[in-house]
Amino acid sequence: MAFCKNGRFRNLNLWKIVPVILFFILWELAARYGPFAGSAVFPPFSAVLLEMAALFKSGVMMKNLASTLGRVLAGLCIGTVSGIGVGMLMGWQEKIYQSLSPIISLLYPIPALGWLPLLMLWIGINETLPVAIISIGVFFPLCYNTAAGIRSVDTQMIRAAHILGASEKRILFQVILPNAAPQIFTGLKLSSGMAWRMVLAAEMVAIPTGIGALIMKAESLIRVDIIMSSLVVLSLMCLFFEKILGVMEKKLIGDWTDNA
Amino acid sequence: MPEIQLRNVTIRNCRNLNLKIKDGEYFVIVGETGAGKTTLLNMIAGVEEYTGSVLIDGVDVKPLPPYKRGVGYLFQELALFPHLSVMANIGFGLKAQGYPKNVTAKKISFLLELMQIRHLAGCYPHQISGGEKKRVALARSLAPSPKTLLLDEPTSGLDSRTAKYVSTELHDILKKMGVTTVHVTHDLKEAKRISDRIAFMANGRIEQVATPAAFFFDPANTTAAEFIGVPNPGPP
């Protein structure tokens, strides 16, 4: 552990790690010596880790995780492409913005899970359901952020590009989109977290495979250790996606923004 | 180098503007904030709609898109592209207009040298100072070899010493290149020092066009006299 002369931690990352370690220690102690000691409803952290290892070893976790991941990726792709596409049109063309923004403003506040009963009736309980619900949940924040990002690009910069001879296409792809990218990434980060929350809900309610379904099965067997293992895996996947997006953001726009 | 003419041009609060800027001239426009100075530049550049005619070298440029008017524009806010390096900013117009790669590289290199910013070539705009940004923006607007350059308050935001240095340097470079320049400022000392002729604008009108000597010693009316801070002119 590195200390400066004045006694402060040199490596400030320790302040991020220490609370996490403390949390797991407290969990372990509370489960072993607390009011629920020995009860199946509150297993210690070590038991959850062991169960998680067993689930991975047996292939159960991987199989369910693969199903969930596939749905998340498909939903994210569809929602991202459509969200950015419509957002670009709205941001670039004033008339389209004026026409679509009332509809978007009306639909955006509906919680994504609010679509679930409707989608169950419209498309049935099948593989399309979680993908559709993720796509809807991803579409709105991305569309909104892309349009807002494009509309906030400095008009003088666009004028400068016009005077320098840039075509509309060049202005869109080489001036406007790069400058709207920070806001698009904000939308993407929001959306990726949303995708994992929604897939879990869809699988818990309607789909017999995936992490959500595994949690529901574990609940019926009162296997809290499996539920907690699944939640930990889900949380790690969420973090992993956020990190990937963070790395992409840094690589694409970090040189010229404060993310450098 | 071109001659610029405005004939009965009207745009927003600017009405029936008539003006003739000689070719190769360093023409300065002065006036209070909101007088219509920037609007006049936007009109010449073709980035705002107007009625009347703007003639460059005797040709009405109304149907021409901004880049076909042969005009470079240094915006007051500079409007550098934050996601592009200094070099890419300077080369943006050249690439957009389809200059061959070798010509683009030569022009960028020449301008980096001319503006003494070669050491900043790989930097991004947020990494350089205000004065350096102005040089980059100027290099960018000069890159496609415009025949006319429009400068909107190029020394605003700089301390007085740097401002004097930048404006003198700008004047010398542009005079050497023979570019017809329209320079907007509210700094009277600067206008006096660098202009061939001065136009005074107030409330969307061109009140006076004169040589610096004539403008400062013989303001055309009370508004002009008040602006330069001399006693009101008496009756002729």
Side-chain angles (χ1 to χ4, degrees), chain B residues 71-130:
Chain B
V71 166
Y73 197 155
L74 182 70
F75 290 94
Q76 188 176 353
E77 300 84 2
L78 304 180
L80 287 174
F81 304 123
H83 59 294
L84 299 180
S85 67
V86 163
M87 205 158 71
N89 258 286
I90 298 172
F92 183 89
L94 300 169
K95 279 188 185 164
Q97 293 183 31
Y99 279 76
K101 272 185 182 173
N102 57 340
V103 178
T104 302
K106 268 185 195 168
K107 279 193 172 233
I108 293 173
S109 177
F110 169 73
L111 286 162
L112 285 171
E113 208 60 60
L114 183 74
M115 299 293 160
Q116 295 169 20
I117 48 173
R118 183 170 289 284
H119 60 292
L120 304 173
C123 295
Y124 286 90
H126 77 279
Q127 297 168 320
I128 61 180
S129 72

Side-chain angles (χ1 to χ4, degrees), chain A residues 156 163-164 174 179 255-256, chain B residues 67 75 77 82-83 97 126:
Chain A
Q156 291 289 63
I163 291 171
L164 290 165
Q174 292 188 15
N179 282 285
D255 285 344
W256 58 275
Chain B
Y67 80 96
F75 290 94
E77 300 84 2
H83 59 294
Q97 293 183 31
H126 77 279

Side-chain angles (χ1 to χ4, degrees), chain B residues 103-226:
Chain B
V103 178
T104 302
K106 268 185 195 168
K107 279 193 172 233
I108 293 173
S109 177
F110 169 73
L111 286 162
L112 285 171
E113 208 60 60
L114 183 74
M115 299 293 160
Q116 295 169 20
I117 48 173
R118 183 170 289 284
H119 60 292
L120 304 173
C123 295
Y124 286 90
H126 77 279
Q127 297 168 320
I128 61 180
S129 72
E132 289 165 341
K133 279 182 192 164
K134 290 202 192 267
R135 287 161 185 249
V136 176
L138 182 66
R140 185 183 68 176
S141 47
L142 284 173
S145 308
K147 292 172 182 169
T148 303
L149 189 63
L150 311 172
L151 307 172
D152 191 3
E153 309 246 9
T155 54
S156 68
L158 299 177
D159 62 83
S160 56
R161 202 173 147 188
T162 316
K164 189 176 176 183
Y165 173 73
V166 169
S167 62
T168 311
E169 204 180 20
L170 258 175
H171 173 265
D172 294 348
I173 290 170
L174 296 170
K175 271 287 178 187
K176 197 158 62 181
M177 294 173 84
V179 175
T180 305
T181 307
V182 187
H183 178 137
V184 160
T185 184
H186 58 260
D187 182 341
L188 288 171
K189 280 185 188 169
E190 182 177 279
K192 196 174 185 178
R193 200 176 60 247
I194 58 176
S195 62
D196 292 332
R197 279 192 308 152
I198 293 178
F200 169 63
M201 284 188 81
N203 303 317
R205 290 171 182 278
I206 297 170
E207 299 280 352
Q208 185 176 6
V209 179
T211 60
F215 178 64
F216 285 99
F217 289 105
D218 187 17
N221 53 32
T222 319
T223 324
E226 276 174 5

Side-chain angles (χ1 to χ4, degrees), chain A residues 30-52:
Chain A
R32 286 190 183 279
Y33 306 108
F36 294 107
S39 153
V41 293
F42 188 33
F45 177 59
S46 54
V48 172
L49 277 184
L50 286 173
E51 184 54 40
M52 200 195 299

Side-chain angles (χ1 to χ4, degrees), chain A residues 26 71 76-77 86 93 96 160 170:
Chain A
L26 280 175
R71 288 165 193 147
L76 260 178
C77 283
V86 176
Q93 298 293 334
I96 297 179
R170 187 181 283 266

